[in-house]
Amino acid sequence: MGKTLIFGHKNPDTDSITSSIVMANLETKLGNNVEACRLGVINKETEYVLNYFGVQAPTLVESIEDGRNVILVDHGNPLESVDNLDKLNILKVVDHHPVKITVAYPLYYRAEPVGCTQTILYKMYKEYNVEVDKKIAGLMLSAIISDTLLLKSPTTTEEDKKAVEELSKISGLDPQVYGLEMLKAGTDLSSFTIDEILHLDAKKIDFKEVKSMVAQVNTASIPDVMKMQKELETGMKEIIEKENLDLFMLLITDIINSNSQVIAMGKDAGLVEKAYKVKLENNTALLEGVVSRKKQVVPIMTENA
Amino acid sequence: MGKTLIFGHKNPDTDSITSSIVMANLETKLGNNVEACRLGVINKETEYVLNYFGVQAPTLVESIEDGRNVILVDHGNPLESVDNLDKLNILKVVDHHPVKITVAYPLYYRAEPVGCTQTILYKMYKEYNVEVDKKIAGLMLSAIISDTLLLKSPTTTEEDKKAVEELSKISGLDPQVYGLEMLKAGTDLSSFTIDEILHLDAKKIDFKEVKSMVAQVNTASIPDVMKMQKELETGMKEIIEKENLDLFMLLITDIINSNSQVIAMGKDAGLVEKAYKVKLENNTALLEGVVSRKKQVVPIMTENA
């Protein structure tokens, strides 16, 4: 049968990568034969985290043979997973997103409406009485800071805050100091092509009938990123044509002030104006207080579509 | 908003009824405003349990207004729930069946591949550090015994066994003595019409293209139930016509010896012969060792359909 493969979603972020490492640690301590994997390249923020703690990146997998045992972390949605997911034997899912999969056999499926998968994993360590070491605590802390933008995103729950407090103690890290450095490391776009920037954290989402792509980049300075507006728009147009999209939203999110500048392209760009009561000028507008795709984009855009 | 309503599946069994009571107890202790409900009549076994512990039956609900907050226990499948489930706000699901629902918003979804919902609820009491009192322990114990047929069903896991051991201590009950009395109480069919017997624990299941109903009755004596074979067959035929089914399987399960006598009707009755390598004589056959619809009927019938 081989090892059970553990992986997060495609286009992995810090939560997906560290969750596969942390879940592999937990499963190993519970006596199970597992391997931490990933479905894509490591982003800059995650690279900073792995380097900081001296932890190896999970194994890159491009395909998995049918029938293999797998554990999904930080996703349950088949659209964000390996292509042959329906042919794999899913043992467990640990996630903080909506439930978007049906499975014909009983499995361990644990989703909770918290800001980060690691908040759930941290509870699982407690439940199984497994010790969280300093390094694991640091990885967990990093992911929660990343997903909640230092506990400022509206996705943040009391459980996330409690986990950050406890994990700071175990890891000996000040979340404000370490967290801001980590988030800033993730905003360095200098080595990326325009197409890469647009795919760094992009999700295909249908707002009812409106076939859309919503990409997000974090920054400490919106004007810095907006210098590339023309090039970004050209890239977005290409993706719209290639993928036959009705709308492409790029959120440029200010991690210090918790706002997002949106660039909206495509025939249904007007939906952004309707949903947020803003006027797009030169394809762009500031969305005050918007930082969370899950809480502040998907429901509002769907409702207005 | 009103209280959050907690309920198990339609055609409720002992797990569905006691899980709604137990989950309501846990939620109340966690400070939430909830009410235990049920979607159907109490069966004889559950009646025995509620009388034994002097516990009131959950409130019967026939419909729920759109938008209401609900918690589902012992099911997640919309086919087994209230009709307007997609219009309700599901806060939590605690279940031990396959995941058969997609939900657009993040929620607490906890399914584990164990024999009974109460085995998961018992873990949750521990996780939240909430004390399990004697009565609650007795209800939990009853449901695990019911779902696993005294830990003999192949759905039984080590976690179920551990829970029964601990809950016996808390409740002061010997599972072998109390459990057998409880199971026997559930086998008393004397007050039911044929149609009621066929609906006591019936699930509509499609084995690929084969539209089926699988009903199960427990008994301490298969010959006693088989005395009604002709009447049962007439009732099954009526349901097949009314529901336009391809197959109706009635499992008459011997809770002492862990076998089931099957009566199979409908144009695809031959599927039972193929799946279990038996010959139906006079529409019936003994399925040795078969007691679990979930583990020993659904996968085998689906594979052979």
Side-chain angles (χ1 to χ4, degrees):
Chain A
M1 207 47 228
K3 291 183 177 186
T4 294
L5 306 182
I6 304 178
F7 49 88
H9 55 73
K10 284 180 180 170
N11 248 331
D13 56 7
T14 298
D15 189 20
S16 266
I17 295 295
T18 59
S19 283
S20 88
I21 298 169
V22 169
M23 184 76 181
N25 176 273
L26 177 60
E27 288 287 316
T28 303
K29 290 197 170 162
L30 293 175
N32 300 319
N33 189 22
V34 300
E35 182 173 1
C37 299
R38 62 187 162 98
L39 302 184
V41 295
I42 301 284
N43 71 28
K44 294 261 178 168
E45 183 192 276
T46 311
E47 192 180 301
Y48 176 91
V49 173
L50 298 180
N51 285 339
Y52 192 97
F53 296 102
V55 173
Q56 262 204 319
T59 312
L60 179 65
V61 294
E62 273 162 8
S63 68
I64 298 175
E65 66 267 36
D66 288 355
R68 187 88 186 231
N69 286 340
V70 297
I71 291 174
L72 312 185
V73 288
D74 194 30
H75 76 300
N77 189 337
L79 293 175
E80 299 172 1
S81 199
V82 285
D83 297 335
N84 63 332
L85 186 62
D86 60 332
K87 303 280 197 317
L88 303 178
N89 186 36
I90 308 172
L91 298 182
K92 299 185 184 185
V93 179
V94 181
D95 187 26
H96 67 124
H97 296 93
V99 178
K100 290 286 189 186
I101 188 173
T102 65
V103 183
Y105 46 88
L107 76 167
Y108 182 100
Y109 196 107
R110 179 142 172 190
E112 299 191 26
V114 293
C116 181
T117 308
Q118 299 280 12
T119 301
I120 309 167
L121 288 174
Y122 180 49
K123 284 164 62 176
M124 288 171 67
Y125 272 77
K126 289 186 180 178
E127 289 162 25
Y128 289 112
N129 277 317
V130 173
E131 196 202 349
V132 176
D133 69 31
K134 218 169 154 168
K135 202 171 267 191
I136 291 291
L139 295 174
M140 287 175 158
L141 182 70
S142 303
I144 303 175
I145 290 170
S146 168
D147 267 12
T148 65
L149 291 177
L150 259 169
L151 303 176
K152 286 190 293 188
S153 164
T155 55
T156 311
T157 66
E158 288 307 312
E159 294 198 83
D160 299 306
K161 291 177 188 167
K162 185 165 172 260
V164 163
E165 198 186 316
E166 296 181 18
L167 292 166
S168 304
K169 281 184 197 148
I170 303 173
S171 65
L173 289 168
D174 180 336
Q176 296 301 327
V177 177
Y178 166 77
L180 205 58
E181 281 311 305
M182 181 201 81
L183 288 172
K184 275 189 185 160
T187 66
D188 174 14
L189 301 174
S190 59
S191 67
F192 296 115
T193 66
I194 291 290
D195 195 60
E196 284 168 344
I197 291 172
L198 293 172
H199 284 99
L200 279 177
D201 179 12
K203 289 199 182 181
K204 278 194 199 174
I205 305 168
D206 292 347
F207 304 125
K208 288 179 191 148
E209 307 294 309
V210 182
K211 238 186 112 183
S212 308
M213 173 96 86
V214 184
Q216 187 167 25
V217 291
N218 289 341
T219 183
S221 158
I222 287 174
D224 267 9
V225 181
M226 288 302 283
K227 281 180 195 153
M228 297 182 280
Q229 185 178 359
K230 276 287 149 283
E231 294 84 348
L232 289 166
E233 288 182 1
T234 307
M236 289 163 77
K237 269 183 208 156
E238 279 168 19
I239 295 167
I240 287 169
E241 274 169 38
K242 200 174 131 202
E243 307 261 355
N244 198 21
L245 300 174
D246 303 317
L247 171 65
F248 193 133
M249 285 174 80
L250 171 63
L251 296 168
I252 301 157
T253 300
D254 181 334
I255 56 167
I256 316 282
N257 301 302
S258 303
N259 291 316
S260 291
Q261 187 78 28
V262 67
I263 303 177
M265 308 286 290
K267 73 174 182 58
D268 284 320
L271 181 56
V272 173
E273 298 190 315
K274 187 183 163 202
Y276 294 97
K277 299 182 178 61
V278 294
K279 181 99 196 81
L280 289 172
E281 285 180 35
N282 191 19
N283 304 320
T284 185
L286 183 71
L287 306 182
E288 299 239 14
V290 172
V291 296
S292 164
R293 179 165 47 197
K294 187 157 71 175
K295 285 260 187 179
Q296 296 172 299
V297 176
V298 177
I300 291 156
M301 291 291 286
T302 305
E303 199 183 308
N304 284 280
Chain B
M1 208 48 227
K3 291 182 177 185
T4 294
L5 306 182
I6 304 178
F7 49 88
H9 54 74
K10 284 179 181 171
N11 247 331
D13 57 8
T14 298
D15 190 19
S16 266
I17 295 295
T18 59
S19 284
S20 90
I21 298 169
V22 169
M23 184 76 181
N25 176 274
L26 177 60
E27 288 287 316
T28 302
K29 291 199 169 162
L30 294 174
N32 299 320
N33 189 21
V34 300
E35 181 173 1
C37 299
R38 62 186 161 98
L39 302 184
V41 296
I42 301 283
N43 71 28
K44 294 261 177 167
E45 182 191 277
T46 311
E47 194 181 300
Y48 176 90
V49 173
L50 297 180
N51 284 340
Y52 192 98
F53 296 103
V55 173
Q56 263 204 319
T59 313
L60 179 66
V61 294
E62 273 162 9
S63 69
I64 298 176
E65 67 267 36
D66 288 355
R68 187 88 187 232
N69 286 339
V70 298
I71 292 174
L72 312 185
V73 289
D74 194 31
H75 77 301
N77 189 339
L79 293 176
E80 298 172 2
S81 198
V82 286
D83 297 335
N84 64 333
L85 186 64
D86 60 332
K87 303 280 197 313
L88 303 178
N89 186 37
I90 307 172
L91 299 182
K92 300 185 184 186
V93 179
V94 181
D95 187 26
H96 68 125
H97 297 92
V99 178
K100 290 286 189 186
I101 188 173
T102 66
V103 183
Y105 46 88
L107 76 168
Y108 182 100
Y109 198 108
R110 180 143 173 189
E112 300 191 25
V114 291
C116 181
T117 308
Q118 300 279 12
T119 301
I120 309 168
L121 287 174
Y122 181 50
K123 283 165 61 175
M124 289 172 66
Y125 271 77
K126 288 185 180 178
E127 289 162 25
Y128 289 112
N129 276 316
V130 173
E131 196 202 348
V132 176
D133 68 31
K134 216 168 155 168
K135 205 171 264 190
I136 292 291
L139 295 174
M140 287 175 158
L141 182 71
S142 303
I144 304 174
I145 290 170
S146 167
D147 268 12
T148 66
L149 292 178
L150 260 170
L151 303 175
K152 285 189 292 185
S153 163
T155 56
T156 311
T157 67
E158 287 307 312
E159 294 198 83
D160 298 305
K161 290 179 189 167
K162 185 165 171 263
V164 163
E165 198 186 316
E166 296 180 18
L167 292 167
S168 305
K169 281 184 196 146
I170 303 172
S171 65
L173 289 168
D174 180 335
Q176 296 301 328
V177 177
Y178 166 77
L180 204 58
E181 279 312 304
M182 181 201 82
L183 288 172
K184 275 188 186 162
T187 66
D188 173 14
L189 301 174
S190 58
S191 67
F192 296 115
T193 64
I194 290 290
D195 195 59
E196 282 168 346
I197 291 171
L198 292 172
H199 284 100
L200 279 176
D201 179 13
K203 289 198 182 181
K204 278 192 197 174
I205 304 167
D206 293 346
F207 304 124
K208 288 179 192 148
E209 306 295 310
V210 182
K211 240 186 112 185
S212 308
M213 174 94 86
V214 183
Q216 187 167 25
V217 291
N218 290 340
T219 184
S221 158
I222 287 174
D224 267 8
V225 182
M226 288 301 282
K227 280 179 197 154
M228 297 183 280
Q229 184 178 357
K230 275 285 150 281
E231 294 84 346
L232 290 166
E233 288 182 1
T234 306
M236 289 164 77
K237 269 184 206 156
E238 278 167 20
I239 295 167
I240 287 170
E241 275 170 36
K242 199 174 132 203
E243 308 261 356
N244 198 21
L245 301 173
D246 303 316
L247 172 65
F248 193 134
M249 283 175 81
L250 171 64
L251 295 168
I252 300 156
T253 299
D254 181 334
I255 55 167
I256 316 283
N257 301 302
S258 303
N259 291 316
S260 291
Q261 187 79 26
V262 66
I263 303 177
M265 309 285 289
K267 73 174 182 58
D268 284 320
L271 182 54
V272 173
E273 298 190 315
K274 187 182 162 203
Y276 295 97
K277 299 184 179 61
V278 293
K279 182 99 195 81
L280 289 172
E281 285 179 36
N282 191 21
N283 303 320
T284 185
L286 183 71
L287 306 182
E288 299 239 15
V290 172
V291 295
S292 164
R293 179 165 47 197
K294 186 157 72 175
K295 287 260 185 179
Q296 296 172 299
V297 176
V298 176
I300 291 156
M301 290 291 286
T302 305
E303 200 184 306
N304 284 281

